[in-house]
């Protein structure tokens, strides 16, 4: 019976991805002669509101500039709104400025009301579709900030990533131009995120998730005496609207600090299943859309299968590792069965491990258990999935990341057979390989350099809750999560202080934008090349042989990049717990 939850968590999104992927293909890949007609009328009407009468014909450089300018405007606007929070409406609980939370430095000195750079970190986090939270939403944000800043960013940033994927696919198939960023953005919002999130929000409200603008409730405790010590403040708000897009847009940021462990965000087993399905269904569907756009569905199935195999393998390891008690309780007579530390009793270790694997495979980052309390090998699974960063990952970003490994796999195959590598009928030459390797190597560079710097200084040493290998794992996980644009964390880390906020904020930006722009540049380079005829010696990218090569390339690069860090962190943590 325990395996029914992960079984449904796989089967439901796989089945739903087929019709959703077809729908995305029909509504997002609109031929120029049909722009503004039929279903495309509403997105183009919204584009006209910002002064765009007809879709522009952008090459990859113009598309990239439009994407970067849009995100720069988002950054500036959201930064200002969060600082001005006390003077804005929909603040019934009189929340103060997010920039005045205060912090404790590495010497243990409190700095109340000081600027912790948390606004910078928060804006970097949400503009990059990451939602790494160094604050607690219900304590620090007003309803206006939750909706106008957080929920708004949760909609437009995954839509921007999806737009980059659309442009990349057009370049790969050889279109003369890559589309219009703003038209693609509107199409994604209108025909993908808005309808899906509306349906999910309705189902969440039906399962008991709050959706209100009333202030927090003051409740009398069971003692029945309404004194200051026996009155509890129960936060609430427009929770269902945020949770729907937090899961569907691979965002992950919670309305409440405990995220999806909180009963107002995740009240029932059905809401838990709905949440875990929503995390992965759109990344899966985007791959089906890719196959239809490229007119090569078998190639998309190969990529889909490699991602699914990596995710399933990680899930099996995580569930197995969590079936044993934690090292701290192992051997105690009163403790039998699986590791329940940091788990919701109503969900249990299997549902927790399933969520941990899927949320880190998709760069979602929401949690329904404490990842820091996972057994070391189980904790290695989400860490490794973020290190690879190609297992479905973010909407649009997952395909972009895997495309770089596809190019490297094609290049290696060409070297082995002694001919110029080709991909989708275009020759892969030095420029494309350099772009692919640059995109791949930025990721481990950000993680390993950041973790090494903080592990060697007081910035990291004095902010971890546990010394030794587990403390290193906490530092490594934080940079891993930031670079992969995931947002989850080993929360035994005191990360709301200037060094952590600034360092992870910079890593968030560098982990997002090069990873999207470089594949777009690669697609733009391939788009202008002449198509070469397929011969008997052409490497096929739609069979099991290529699937094995792609899987081997991902694992080999991942192992070479991260094995030393993994051995120092979760592997050493696991070995230290073995009785001698």
């Amino acid at each position: 019976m325990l395996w029914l939850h992960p079984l449904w968590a796989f089967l439901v999104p796989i089945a739903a991805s087929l019709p959703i992927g077809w729908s995305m293909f029909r509504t997002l890949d609109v031929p120029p002669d049909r722009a503004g007609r039929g279903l495309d009328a509403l997105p183009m009407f919204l584009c006209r509101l910002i002064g765009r009468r007809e879709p522009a014909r952008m090459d990859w450089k113009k598309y990239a500039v439009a994407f970067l300018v849009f995100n720069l405007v988002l950054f500036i606007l959201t930064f200002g709104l969060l600082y001005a929070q006390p003077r804005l409406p929909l603040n019934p609980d009189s929340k103060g400025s997010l920039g005045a939370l205060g912090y404790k430095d590495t010497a243990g000195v409190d700095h109340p009301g000081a600027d912790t750079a948390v606004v910078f970190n928060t804006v970097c986090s949400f503009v990059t579709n990451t939602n790494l939270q160094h604050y607690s939403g219900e304590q620090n944000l007003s309803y206006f900030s939750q909706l106008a800043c957080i929920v708004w960013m949760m909609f437009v940033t995954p839509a921007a990533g999806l737009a980059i994927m659309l442009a990349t696919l057009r370049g790969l198939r050889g279109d003369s131009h890559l589309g219009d960023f703003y038209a693609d953005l509107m199409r994604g919002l209108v025909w993908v995120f808005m309808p899906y999130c509306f349906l999910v929000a309705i189902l969440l409200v039906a399962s008991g998730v709050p959706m209100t603008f009333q202030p927090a409730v003051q409740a009398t405790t069971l003692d029945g005496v309404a004194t200051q010590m026996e009155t509890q403040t129960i936060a609430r708000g427009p929770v269902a609207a945020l949770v729907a897009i937090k899961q569907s847009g691979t965002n992950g940021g919670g309305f409440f600090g405990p995220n999806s462990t909180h009963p107002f965000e995740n009240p029932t087993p059905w809401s838990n299943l709905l949440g875990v399905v929503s995390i992965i269904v759109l990344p899966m569907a985007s791959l089906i859309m890719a196959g239809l756009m490229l007119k090569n569905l078998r190639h998309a199935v190969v990529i889909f299968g490699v991602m699914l195999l990596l995710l399933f393998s990680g899930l099996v390891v995580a569930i197995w590792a969590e079936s044993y008690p934690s090292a701290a309780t192992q051997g105690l007579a009163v403790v039998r069965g699986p590791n329940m530390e940091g788990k919701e009793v109503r969900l249990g270790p299997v549902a927790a491990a399933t969520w941990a694997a899927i949320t880190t495979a998709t760069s979602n980052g929401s949690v329904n258990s404490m990842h820091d309390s996972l057994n070391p090998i189980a904790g290695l699974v989400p860490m490794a999935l973020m290190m690879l960063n190609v297992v479905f990952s973010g909407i649009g970003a997952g395909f972009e990341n895997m495309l770089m490994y596809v190019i490297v796999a094609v290049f290696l195959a060409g070297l082995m057979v002694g001919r110029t590598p080709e991909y989708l009928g275009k020759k892969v030459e030095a420029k494309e390989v350099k772009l692919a390797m640059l995109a791949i190597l930025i990721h481990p560079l950000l993680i390993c350099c950041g973790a090494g710097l903080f592990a060697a200084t007081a910035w990291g040493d004095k902010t971890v809750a546990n010394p030794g290998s587990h403390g290193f794992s906490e530092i490594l996980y934080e940079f891993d999560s930031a670079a992969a644009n995931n947002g989850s964390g080993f929360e035994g880390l005191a990360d709301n202080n200037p060094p952590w906020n600034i360092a992870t904020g910079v890593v968030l930006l560098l982990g997002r934008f090069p990873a999207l722009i470089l594949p777009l540049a690669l697609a733009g380079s391939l788009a202008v090349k002449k198509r070469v005829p397929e011969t008997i010696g052409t490497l096929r990218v739609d069979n099991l042989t290529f699937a094995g090569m792609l899987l081997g390339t991902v694992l080999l690069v991942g192992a070479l990049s991260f094995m030393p860090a993994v051995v120092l962190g979760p592997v050493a943590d696991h070995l230290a717990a073995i009785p001698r």
Side-chain angles (χ1 to χ4, degrees):
M1 292 295 292
L2 290 176
W3 284 93
L4 284 179
H5 177 74
L7 181 66
W8 284 114
F10 270 76
L11 294 181
V12 172
I14 290 172
S17 67
L18 299 174
I20 295 175
W22 180 86
S23 174
M24 292 170 67
F25 166 65
R26 298 290 296 175
T27 55
L28 301 182
D29 187 33
V30 181
D33 60 334
R34 294 182 56 192
R37 297 167 54 188
L39 292 176
D40 199 45
L42 180 55
M44 290 313 302
F45 169 75
L46 296 175
C47 283
R48 293 187 186 102
L49 295 180
I50 59 175
R52 304 186 73 83
R53 296 291 178 181
E54 298 294 335
R57 300 170 67 88
M58 297 180 176
D59 59 15
W60 79 265
K61 294 179 182 177
K62 291 180 180 178
Y63 207 100
V65 168
F67 169 70
L68 293 173
V69 169
F70 176 76
N71 280 276
L72 178 62
V73 172
L74 281 182
F75 189 99
I76 295 171
L77 179 62
T78 307
F79 200 99
L81 289 176
L82 288 177
Y83 258 110
Q85 176 175 272
R87 294 179 289 278
L88 295 173
L90 289 178
N91 190 7
D93 298 312
S94 302
K95 306 290 187 186
S97 173
L98 185 60
L101 296 186
Y103 67 96
K104 182 179 289 187
D105 61 24
T106 55
V109 178
D110 282 312
H111 298 263
D115 186 350
T116 66
V118 70
V119 175
F120 169 76
N121 184 274
T122 300
V123 177
C124 289
S125 179
F126 283 86
V127 82
T128 57
N129 191 210
T130 305
N131 299 18
L132 184 74
Q133 293 174 289
H134 288 179
Y135 66 92
S136 186
E138 79 278 22
Q139 296 181 29
N140 305 123
L141 294 185
S142 68
Y143 296 165
F144 182 88
S145 295
Q146 293 275 30
L147 293 174
C149 298
I150 304 305
V151 172
W152 162 245
M153 298 273 266
M154 284 181 172
F155 271 101
V156 295
T157 55
L162 180 59
I164 292 289
M165 179 182 177
L166 291 169
T168 301
L169 290 168
R170 294 183 187 120
L172 293 177
R173 72 184 182 190
D175 287 13
S176 58
H177 65 90
L178 305 188
D180 182 334
F181 170 76
Y182 298 101
D184 289 336
L185 181 76
M186 293 300 181
R187 288 165 182 156
L189 287 171
V190 170
W191 296 122
V192 179
F193 295 103
M194 292 297 292
Y196 186 84
C197 290
F198 180 78
L199 174 62
V200 172
I202 293 296
L203 294 175
L204 287 172
V205 171
S207 69
V209 177
M211 185 64 196
T212 179
F213 289 105
Q214 296 297 315
V217 176
Q218 299 296 323
T220 303
T221 61
L222 293 176
D223 289 345
V225 182
T227 64
Q228 184 177 1
M229 295 296 294
E230 290 155 344
T231 300
Q232 182 180 6
T233 300
I234 301 177
R236 54 180 178 171
V239 183
L242 186 145
V243 173
I245 184 58
K246 118 178 174 179
Q247 307 295 34
S248 308
T250 59
N251 292 290
F255 188 97
F256 300 96
N259 209 279
S260 290
T261 63
H262 197 290
F264 283 2
E265 288 199 30
N266 187 12
T268 69
W270 294 110
S271 68
N272 191 76
L273 181 60
L274 176 63
V276 80
V277 167
S278 297
I279 288 172
I280 199 169
V281 66
L282 291 182
M284 284 183 169
S286 66
L287 291 176
I288 303 300
M289 178 195 72
L292 294 171
M293 287 184 66
L294 296 173
K295 297 181 181 179
N296 195 339
L297 194 57
R298 291 183 61 179
H299 177 47
V301 170
V302 166
I303 296 176
F304 192 106
V306 170
M307 292 181 175
L308 195 63
L309 178 61
L310 289 168
L311 174 56
F312 182 76
S313 301
L315 176 60
V316 170
V317 171
I319 293 177
W320 167 79
E322 285 301 284
S323 65
Y324 297 94
S326 66
T329 59
Q330 199 164 15
L332 297 178
V334 295
V335 177
R336 299 181 184 275
N339 176 23
M340 288 301 297
E341 180 187 337
K343 309 293 188 302
E344 275 288 322
V345 175
R346 58 197 174 94
L347 298 175
V350 172
T354 301
W355 191 297
I358 290 179
T359 195
T360 49
T362 56
S363 79
N364 178 272
S366 63
V367 296
N368 72 349
S369 66
M370 181 66 76
H371 286 193
D372 197 36
S373 294
L374 295 171
N375 282 328
I377 298 301
L380 172 60
V381 170
M383 196 180 295
L385 290 171
M386 292 187 294
M387 287 172 174
L388 297 178
N389 202 27
V390 294
V391 187
F392 297 108
S393 194
I395 297 172
F399 175 81
E400 302 286 288
N401 294 337
M402 184 59 94
L403 176 61
M404 302 295 94
Y405 284 93
V406 168
I407 296 299
V408 173
V410 167
F411 172 70
L412 293 176
L415 289 179
M416 287 189 287
V417 299
R419 56 178 285 143
T420 303
E422 300 168 11
Y423 179 58
L424 301 178
K426 304 293 182 72
K427 289 188 179 295
V428 176
E429 297 174 303
K431 180 180 179 180
E432 290 78 34
V433 176
K434 290 176 182 177
L435 288 170
M437 287 308 304
L438 181 60
I440 289 173
L441 293 176
I442 285 175
H443 184 63
L445 186 68
L446 292 173
I447 296 170
C448 294
C449 289
L453 175 63
F454 272 64
T457 64
W459 295 342
D461 181 56
K462 301 297 184 180
T463 54
V464 296
N466 304 277
S469 55
H470 192 79
F472 178 73
S473 294
E474 292 172 352
I475 295 171
L476 181 64
Y477 194 106
E478 187 77 0
F479 281 103
D480 191 8
S481 179
N485 296 138
N486 184 267
S488 62
F490 272 14
E491 293 305 336
L493 192 68
D495 49 22
N496 184 28
N497 53 63
W500 275 110
N501 283 327
I502 294 171
T504 53
V506 172
V507 170
L508 288 164
L509 297 174
L510 295 177
R512 170 73 167 178
F513 294 108
L516 292 178
I517 298 301
L518 291 171
L520 183 63
L522 187 148
S525 175
L526 292 177
V528 299
K529 293 187 176 184
K530 291 183 179 180
R531 189 173 296 275
V532 296
E534 185 175 327
T535 67
I536 193 172
T538 301
L539 174 69
R540 296 180 62 88
V541 293
D542 59 359
N543 55 25
L544 286 175
T545 300
F546 184 74
M549 290 196 62
L550 181 58
L551 178 63
T553 302
V554 170
L555 294 177
L556 179 62
V557 173
L560 291 174
S561 301
F562 296 109
M563 185 62 74
V566 166
V567 169
L568 289 173
V571 173
D573 196 16
H574 171 73
L575 295 176
I578 298 176
R580 290 177 173 81

